[in-house]
């Protein structure tokens, strides 16, 4: 019943520039001013690697080439304490002007019931009305006192016609999920969380609105859904608002504490009772709430009645965002039953194999009222407790166990490593401390450092050679290491031995190690017949010594080797006499013999290494040297690290023991990136977060594209990785809980203005950052309600870091952070436990978010609206094979061009068909197909509540068959559904053949792998041209393997989709009524799909 676009009324869009209403949130963020009016840069982009550096003074400019270590020192001085760690400013998408959230709710009253929503709607508020012609009108919307109609003004229509009857409403959608929003020219400037649509009439017309804030949109959506679902007795809502199970429970709690039975208690007792029910509440806030309630009743007393107690608890302890969620998933009730909870866990939380009994068990464990536990429903307080529990943690519990293959060579893993492990302060003045080893080993560190020097009484010591005041006895240190070596992980521990001892004391070192470590010490000579290092699985419970070794074949008791002193190396490189040979030290045979798999050698260049380096030899790189190599030879560095271990240590110029960015070197495949554990901050956050995965065992398997012998990967890739399907990460920051004041803040009260930064770390193409608006003066439960999308090109290397900061800080802005690998994210509604600056979990301090990860098919640049923008066949970009210049090989690869196009088309067509179904169901791209079927089933119901379509299994595929007349608008949805089933069927039935063709080309190409140099010589290729041919060959093999894997995964996904659709149809009652045979047939088809799925996993696909 939407009014016409034409006429005399002047739209908001014509009174101001089209984007004026939204410009405040879209302008680039300027440098803010401090209290003295000086420019203040909030976050900087200092990085050890990259083309952009921030120099003292805050200006951006090209990276200084001559002296990288000196630059690091200067940059460290200029960098704010919690600087941004995104390297490339072009990827920082936090280009929004600081915005402040003012609640639209009267007197800051929280929404805690449907009555509150309806009262707000009756009072009315301004909403923007969006028309298909891209015009936007400001209108004042109200709900009639009798709850029968929605009205708006001003309007050129009569007052009686500028309305929408509640009885005509079919659906209420939150978000930009109608054609009007999708086709509106200003859609990109409208917040997803502020948009809502009222679908009405038999033709499913839409009234599309934009609220001033997400909380207002949620109030209208929740209130209207409640009215539509209870249109027959709406007045009961107001009468029974205080007769809910929640109030019955609160009254019982009050009466149990009311020892006199007078229905009244002292305010002190009531405050203690509420704090007992909700320990996170501040006493001052509870007392203030009681005073507000009593003031509204014009009474002044220190006693609290039962009704006042219930009212205060409801207003203080109801989180509006959780209430809105509960109403949404409970089909507009104010509690969840077991079926509601089951659907929530399956469709939103991604939980599989959930049963009704499991849901009832959750209700029994979390519901606070006796009535709820007996009747099997979960009210708002129990639901809040469940969402805050460890069962809804953002970290996938599967990854708290060993989930990766631990039988690969040691060089195929990232290894948790510590630098100067003996330090707990800075490396210039810090004394050696045994607690450095205790801390590192308890954090699953698998590579620790021991700098050993001569000590008194012929007893070696470990010390900071810049501060000799508190040396540690070497014997005591390795006794602690022996005790804790496998405390947190049973996988091998590498001891990086910095030997600065005389030959005499070296022999004492050997004696202590052999006596204390015993058979844990790995000293077996490496086998020359092998090509790779042993696996972590094979080296379980073993301690490996890394150090210098005497040359093979020399039967001597001692000899000279080059010094492994990191500081000496840096001094040598910074000195004028750069070409000076490194100094030599004496090494005894006994210590040399302890070194087996990790013999230290000096790096010269990759060509020399690939020809002459043995797999048991490893190089250590200074931060500056590794940065240079990563920039100049990124592909070679990755290939080198497929076979050999690399260790990267921080620059000696980091006298404050600051940390390098480990991601820069992980991107190159460097396994051992040594970190200063004693220095907290963003870099240590990344390191700690990364090694939480794989059971926190200290070993993380690298992506296959960085392990396969023949594969192409560049650490500096700026686009899609060949053979890897990009993913889209959808993050909604909903709210925060109990944020503390920044630790280092000074001259400021307890009030903070929080905002959230979301940082993505990974390959350069994935590194980006976005931020929410600022919520003013709210630390207890700030509501952000903002959604973000990030395209992730290499998910296996990506991490997401949530940082909460204070926008009105003095001295320190940091509130809390949490860093997690993308692979460990759980989808759905999750609470993130925030960590302090030093990495400790802060009690009750959380961030409430919604997470979804979807596929983005098709290659090319990220679409503005992700999956909701389909890529047509003409615009589709295919991953292309490269010409090697070797005719016999190029002829083989040409045979793969058509199968690769077929594979891409099948995957794209299925994805596009799925998106069409979701759009026509009024759902966002992140919705599941089960949610689509539920939405569809509610529409396809006749007047007598019988379904107008039925599930019809044809060759094990779930088609929907009309049982009578279906409205035209629903015919479009059914047609899109049929197309989705058809495209899925094509993929499932033809994937094997196409996959075989791709694999055959890959195998045929690999037969020439060993002959590439000879073939190139015959074709006259040499030098750079030959290297380019070999690189193109690796690229093509990577593409073929990756596209084959993507097709295999797409087929498995399609099979799973068919299974989920069938289960959803059966649970929604879309099987033919009264047909036992049909149900039996559907069950047999489901079993057939499951068998086909299992068979494919065990067979070719």
């Amino acid at each position: 019943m939407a009014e016409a676009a034409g006429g005399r009324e002047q739209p908001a869009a014509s009174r101001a520039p089209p984007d004026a209403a939204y410009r405040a949130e879209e302008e680039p963020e300027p440098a803010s001013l401090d209290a003295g009016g000086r420019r203040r840069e909030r976050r900087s982009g200092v990085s050890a690697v990259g083309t952009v550096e921030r120099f003292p003074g805050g200006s951006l400019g090209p990276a200084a080439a001559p002296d990288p270590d000196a630059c690091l020192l200067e940059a460290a001085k200029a960098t704010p304490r919690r600087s941004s760690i995104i390297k490339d400013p072009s990827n920082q998408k936090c280009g929004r002007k600081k915005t402040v959230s003012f609640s639209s709710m009267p007197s800051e009253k929280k929404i805690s019931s449907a009555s509150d929503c309806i009262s707000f709607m009756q009072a009315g508020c301004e909403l923007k009305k969006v028309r298909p012609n891209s015009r936007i009108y400001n209108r004042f919307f109200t709900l009639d006192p009798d709850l029968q109609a929605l009205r708006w003004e001003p309007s050129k229509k009569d007052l009686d016609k500028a309305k929408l009857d509640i009885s005509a409403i079919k659906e209420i959608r939150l978000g930009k999920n109608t054609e009007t929003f999708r086709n509106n020219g200003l859609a990109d400037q409208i917040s997803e969380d502020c948009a809502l649509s009222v679908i009405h009439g038999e033709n499913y017309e839409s009234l599309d609105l934009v609220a001033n804030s997400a909380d207002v949109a949620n109030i209208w959506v929740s209130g209207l859904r409640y009215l539509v679902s209870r249109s027959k007795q709406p007045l009961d809502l107001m009468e029974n608002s205080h007769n809910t199970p929640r109030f019955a429970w609160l009254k019982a709690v009050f009466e149990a504490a009311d020892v006199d039975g007078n229905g009244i208690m002292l305010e002190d007792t009531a405050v203690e009772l509420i704090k007992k029910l909700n320990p996170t509440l501040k006493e001052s806030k509870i007392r203030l709430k009681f005073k507000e309630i009593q003031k509204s009743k014009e009474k002044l007393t220190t006693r609290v009645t039962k009704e006042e107690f219930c009212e205060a608890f409801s207003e203080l302890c109801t989180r509006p965002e959780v209430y809105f969620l509960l109403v949404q998933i409970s089909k507009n009730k104010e509690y969840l039953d077991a079926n509601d909870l089951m659907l929530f866990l399956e469709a939103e939380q991604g939980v599989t194999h959930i049963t009704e009994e499991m849901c009832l068990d959750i209700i029994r464990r979390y519901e606070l009222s006796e009535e709820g536990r007996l009747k099997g429903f979960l009210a708002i307080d129990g639901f809040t407790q469940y969402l805050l529990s460890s069962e809804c943690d953002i970290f996938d519990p599967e990854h708290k166990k060993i989930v990766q293959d631990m039988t690969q060579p040691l060089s195929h893993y990232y290894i948790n490593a510590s630098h100067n492990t003996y330090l707990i302060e800075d490396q210039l003045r810090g004394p050696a401390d045994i607690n450095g080893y205790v801390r590192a080993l308890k954090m699953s560190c698998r590579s620790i450092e021991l700098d050993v020097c001569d000590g008194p009484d012929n007893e070696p010591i470990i010390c900071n050679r810049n501060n000799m005041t508190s040396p540690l006895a070497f014997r005591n240190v390795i006794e602690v290491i022996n005790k804790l070596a496998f405390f947190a992980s049973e996988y091998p521990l590498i001891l990086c031995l910095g030997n600065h001892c005389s030959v005499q004391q070296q022999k004492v070192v050997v004696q202590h190690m052999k006596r204390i470590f015993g058979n844990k010490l790995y000293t077996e000579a490496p086998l020359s017949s092998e090509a790779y290092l042993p696996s972590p699985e094979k080296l379980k419970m073993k301690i490996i010594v890394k150090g210098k070794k005497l040359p093979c074949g020399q039967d001597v008791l001692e000899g000279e080797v080059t010094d492994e002193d990191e500081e000496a190396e840096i001094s040598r490189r910074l000195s004028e006499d750069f070409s000076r040979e490194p100094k030599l030290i004496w090494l005894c045979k006994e210590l040399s013999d302890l070194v087996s798999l990790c013999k230290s050698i000096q790096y010269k260049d990759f060509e020399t290494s690939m020809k002459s380096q043995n797999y048991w030899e490893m190089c250590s790189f200074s931060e500056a040297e590794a940065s240079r190599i990563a920039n100049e030879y990124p592909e070679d560095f990755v290939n080198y690290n497929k076979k050999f271990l690399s260790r990267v240590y921080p620059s000696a110029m980091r006298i404050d023991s600051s940390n390098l960015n480990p991601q820069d070197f992980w991107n190159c495949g460097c396994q051992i990136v040594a970190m200063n554990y004693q220095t907290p901050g963003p870099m240590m956050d990344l390191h700690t977060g990364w090694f939480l995965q794989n059971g926190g065992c200290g070993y993380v398997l690298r992506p296959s594209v960085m392990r396969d012998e023949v594969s192409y990967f560049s650490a500096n890739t700026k686009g899609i990785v060949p053979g890897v399907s990009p993913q889209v990460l959808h993050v909604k920051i909903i709210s925060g809980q109990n944020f503390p004041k920044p630790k280092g803040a000074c001259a400021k009260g307890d009030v903070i203005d929080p905002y959230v930064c979301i940082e993505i770390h990974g390959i350069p193409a994935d590194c980006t950052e976005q931020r929410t608006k600022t919520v003013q003066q709210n630390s207890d439960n700030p509501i952000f309600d903002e959604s973000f999308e990030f395209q992730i090109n290499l998910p296996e290397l990506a991490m997401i870091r949530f940082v909460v900061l204070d926008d009105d800080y003095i001295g320190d802005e940091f509130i809390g952070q949490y860093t997690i690998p993308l692979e460990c994210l759980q989808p759905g509604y999750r609470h993130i436990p925030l960590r302090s600056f030093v990495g400790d979990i802060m009690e009750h301090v959380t961030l409430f978010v919604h997470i979804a990860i979807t596929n983005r098919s098709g290659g090319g640049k990220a679409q503005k609206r992700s999956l909701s923008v389909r890529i047509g066949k003409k615009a589709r970009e295919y991953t292309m094979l490269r010409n090697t210049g070797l005719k016999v090989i190029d002829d083989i690869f040409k045979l793969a061009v058509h199968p690769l196009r077929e594979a891409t088309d099948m995957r794209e067509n299925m994805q596009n068909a799925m998106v069409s179904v979701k759009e026509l169901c009024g759902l966002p791209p992140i919705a599941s197909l089960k949610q689509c079927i539920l939405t569809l089933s509610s529409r396809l119901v006749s007047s007598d509540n019988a379904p107008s379509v039925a599930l019809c299994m044809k060759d094990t595929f779930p088609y929907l068959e009309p049982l009578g007349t279906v409205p035209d608008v629903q015919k479009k949805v059914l047609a899109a559904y049929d197309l989705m089933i058809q495209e899925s069927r094509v993929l499932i039935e033809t994937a094997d053949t196409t996959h075989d063709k791709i694999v055959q080309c890959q195998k045929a190409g690999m037969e020439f792998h060993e002959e590439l140099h000879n073939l190139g010589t015959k074709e006259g290729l040499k030098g750079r041209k030959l290297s380019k041919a070999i690189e193109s060959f690796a690229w093509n093999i990577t593409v073929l393997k990756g596209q084959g894997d993507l097709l295999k995964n797409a087929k498995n996904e399609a099979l799973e989709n068919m299974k989920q659709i069938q289960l959803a149809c059966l649970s929604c009652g879309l099987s033919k009524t009264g047909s036992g045979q049909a149900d039996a047939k559907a069950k047999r088809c489901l079993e057939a799909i499951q068998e086909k799925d299992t068979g494919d996993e065990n067979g070719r696909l």
Side-chain angles (χ1 to χ4, degrees), residues 84-275:
S84 170
I85 42 186
I86 302 299
K87 299 184 306 216
D88 186 354
S90 66
N91 278 351
Q92 294 193 23
K93 298 182 181 177
C94 53
R96 300 185 182 195
K97 187 176 179 181
K98 169 183 164 183
T99 57
V100 179
S101 171
F102 296 98
S103 173
S104 307
M105 288 181 264
S107 305
E108 294 296 325
K109 178 178 171 62
K110 279 187 177 181
I111 298 295
S112 60
S113 67
S115 301
D116 293 338
C117 293
I118 287 170
S119 298
F120 180 89
M121 291 158 63
Q122 287 175 322
C125 74
E126 186 176 274
L127 300 172
K128 292 179 175 63
K129 188 177 172 190
V130 182
R131 299 289 295 150
N133 59 5
S134 295
R135 292 189 173 188
I136 298 177
Y137 303 85
N138 288 316
R139 295 290 175 263
F140 194 85
F141 282 77
T142 55
L143 177 67
D144 276 357
D146 61 1
L147 314 180
Q148 297 300 311
L150 189 64
R151 297 181 185 272
W152 57 89
E153 59 180 23
S155 172
K156 65 177 184 177
K157 295 185 176 184
D158 295 336
L159 287 178
D160 289 339
K161 292 183 179 179
K163 70 172 187 175
L164 180 60
D165 292 334
I166 299 297
S167 59
I169 296 176
K170 301 288 187 182
E171 296 174 13
I172 301 95
R173 301 175 186 171
L174 183 61
K176 299 183 288 188
N177 295 312
T178 62
E179 284 297 316
T180 299
F181 277 124
R182 279 192 286 271
N183 298 329
N184 192 293
L186 301 177
D188 287 341
Q189 299 170 44
I190 296 171
S191 168
E192 181 80 25
D193 307 296
C194 296
L196 65 142
S197 299
V198 181
I199 311 300
H200 58 92
E202 294 304 317
N203 293 324
Y204 280 66
E205 300 169 64
S206 66
L207 172 60
D208 299 289
L209 307 169
V210 181
N212 290 329
S213 65
D215 53 8
V216 172
N218 276 316
I219 291 171
W220 282 96
V221 169
S222 299
L224 288 172
R225 283 176 175 170
Y226 199 99
L227 288 174
V228 170
S229 65
R230 284 167 170 71
S231 56
K232 293 181 181 176
Q233 64 267 62
L235 294 176
D236 291 347
L237 170 74
M238 311 304 291
E239 295 167 6
N240 297 329
S241 60
H242 289 278
N243 294 327
T244 63
R246 184 192 205 187
F247 276 90
W249 165 66
L250 286 172
K251 288 174 183 176
V253 170
F254 183 93
E255 289 163 1
D258 180 17
V259 290
D260 298 329
N262 297 326
I264 196 167
M265 65 172 59
L266 289 171
E267 183 181 296
D268 289 347
T269 308
V271 169
E272 287 178 17
L273 191 54
I274 288 181
K275 272 195 70 65

Side-chain angles (χ1 to χ4, degrees), residues 13 53 69 90 113 235 238 277 314 363 407 466 547 588 651 918 966 969 985 1003:
E53 297 285 343
D69 286 290
S90 66
S113 67
L235 294 176
M238 311 304 291
L277 295 172
S314 296
I363 291 170
T407 63
N466 296 315
C588 73
S651 166
K918 292 175 183 180
V966 177
V969 67
R985 182 171 187 167
K1003 288 180 177 177

Side-chain angles (χ1 to χ4, degrees), residues 267-474:
E267 183 181 296
D268 289 347
T269 308
V271 169
E272 287 178 17
L273 191 54
I274 288 181
K275 272 195 70 65
K276 185 179 178 182
L277 295 172
N278 189 342
T280 65
L281 285 174
K282 297 172 185 172
E283 182 179 327
S284 59
K285 192 170 182 179
I286 302 172
R287 292 189 184 279
L288 183 62
K289 179 54 67 177
F290 280 132
K291 285 182 171 56
E292 284 179 11
I293 292 170
Q294 291 173 349
K295 185 179 179 182
S296 68
K297 296 178 180 178
E298 297 183 349
K299 57 183 273 193
L300 189 62
T301 177
T302 58
R303 296 183 181 274
V304 175
T305 67
K306 189 187 302 181
E307 289 71 24
E308 289 166 350
F309 173 82
C310 295
E311 185 179 350
F313 180 89
S314 296
E315 291 196 19
L316 288 169
C317 300
T318 303
R319 286 171 46 189
E321 74 278 20
V322 177
Y323 173 77
F324 293 137
L325 175 61
L326 179 124
V327 171
Q328 174 190 333
I329 63 181
S330 67
K331 303 180 186 69
N332 312 305
K333 305 188 295 291
E334 292 194 294
Y335 62 86
L336 299 176
D337 58 31
N339 286 331
D340 296 328
L341 186 55
M342 190 186 308
L343 180 61
F344 171 69
L345 293 175
E346 288 179 340
E348 280 290 357
Q349 304 295 87
V351 180
T352 55
H353 310 301
I354 195 78
T355 64
E356 186 176 357
E357 183 52 42
M358 291 165 69
C359 294
L360 288 170
D361 178 63
I362 290 172
I363 291 170
R364 285 191 288 267
R365 285 187 287 117
Y366 290 99
E367 174 54 30
L368 300 177
S369 72
E370 184 68 25
E371 181 186 1
R373 291 193 294 271
L374 290 173
K375 292 184 178 179
F377 61 74
L378 196 61
I380 180 67
D381 301 295
F383 185 52
T384 304
Q385 292 298 315
Y386 173 64
L387 288 175
L388 282 165
S389 73
S390 59
E391 294 182 52
C392 290
D393 190 52
I394 192 169
F395 195 93
D396 187 345
E398 281 298 306
H399 288 271
K400 293 182 179 180
K401 302 177 288 188
I402 305 294
V403 293
Q404 295 175 352
D405 177 9
M406 301 303 289
T407 63
Q408 301 266 337
L410 207 62
S411 59
H412 287 183
Y413 298 84
Y414 296 114
I415 302 173
N416 190 341
S418 162
H419 177 247
N420 288 350
T421 315
Y422 48 85
L423 292 180
I424 58 171
E425 296 177 25
D426 68 76
Q427 64 188 40
L428 191 63
R429 298 176 301 275
D433 194 307
I434 197 74
N435 288 313
Y437 292 98
V438 174
R439 174 186 56 206
L441 291 170
K442 285 188 174 180
M443 291 176 67
S444 298
C445 185
R446 297 290 84 197
S447 173
I448 58 177
E449 296 185 10
L450 300 94
D451 278 343
V452 192
C453 302
D454 282 353
D457 303 322
N458 200 35
E459 277 294 335
I461 58 171
I462 289 177
C463 63
N464 180 356
R465 282 175 297 144
N466 296 315
N467 180 358
M468 304 287 285
T469 56
S470 56
L472 303 173
F474 175 77

Side-chain angles (χ1 to χ4, degrees), residues 65 100 231 239 263 267 357 451 480 717 803 814 869 905 962 1053 1062:
V100 179
S231 56
E239 295 167 6
E267 183 181 296
E357 183 52 42
D451 278 343
V480 169
T717 182
V803 194
F814 177 77
V869 176
D905 287 340
E1053 180 188 347
Q1062 187 178 352

Side-chain angles (χ1 to χ4, degrees), residues 174 176-177 182 192 868 915 918-919 921-928 931-932:
L174 183 61
K176 299 183 288 188
N177 295 312
R182 279 192 286 271
E192 181 80 25
S868 56
V915 171
K918 292 175 183 180
E919 287 183 350
C921 287
L923 295 171
I926 63 174
S928 67
Q931 289 170 312
C932 290

Side-chain angles (χ1 to χ4, degrees), residues 1025-1075:
K1025 287 186 178 179
L1026 180 58
S1027 299
K1028 193 68 179 174
I1030 294 171
E1031 180 185 295
S1032 297
F1033 177 85
W1035 168 279
N1036 292 346
I1037 293 296
T1038 305
V1039 169
L1040 291 171
K1041 182 182 182 299
Q1043 292 296 320
D1045 289 344
L1046 291 178
L1047 184 58
K1048 175 175 65 176
N1049 295 336
K1051 180 186 174 181
N1052 290 335
E1053 180 188 347
L1055 285 165
E1056 181 62 26
N1057 288 341
M1058 297 303 100
K1059 188 163 61 177
Q1060 292 305 319
I1061 288 171
Q1062 187 178 352
L1063 287 170
C1065 288
L1066 292 172
S1067 65
C1068 294
L1070 293 183
S1071 57
K1072 289 187 178 178
T1073 309
S1075 173

Side-chain angles (χ1 to χ4, degrees), residues 596-655:
S596 170
L597 296 178
C598 293
K599 176 187 174 183
S600 294
I601 63 169
Q602 284 195 321
Y603 168 79
K604 184 178 180 183
D605 56 57
F606 287 130
E607 186 178 356
T608 303
S609 296
M610 299 307 280
K611 285 180 181 178
S612 59
Q613 186 172 335
N614 296 306
Y615 71 84
W616 60 84
E617 295 173 333
M618 63 177 288
C619 297
S620 290
F621 301 87
S622 69
E623 178 184 349
E625 185 178 26
S627 299
R628 177 186 62 79
I629 295 170
N631 279 325
E632 294 178 9
Y633 312 104
E635 298 91 348
D636 292 337
F637 212 172
V638 172
N639 286 329
Y640 172 83
N641 286 320
K642 290 176 183 178
K643 186 173 182 179
F644 307 111
L645 285 176
S646 290
R647 173 177 166 270
V648 179
Y649 55 88
S651 166
M653 303 301 289
R654 294 184 180 273
I655 57 174

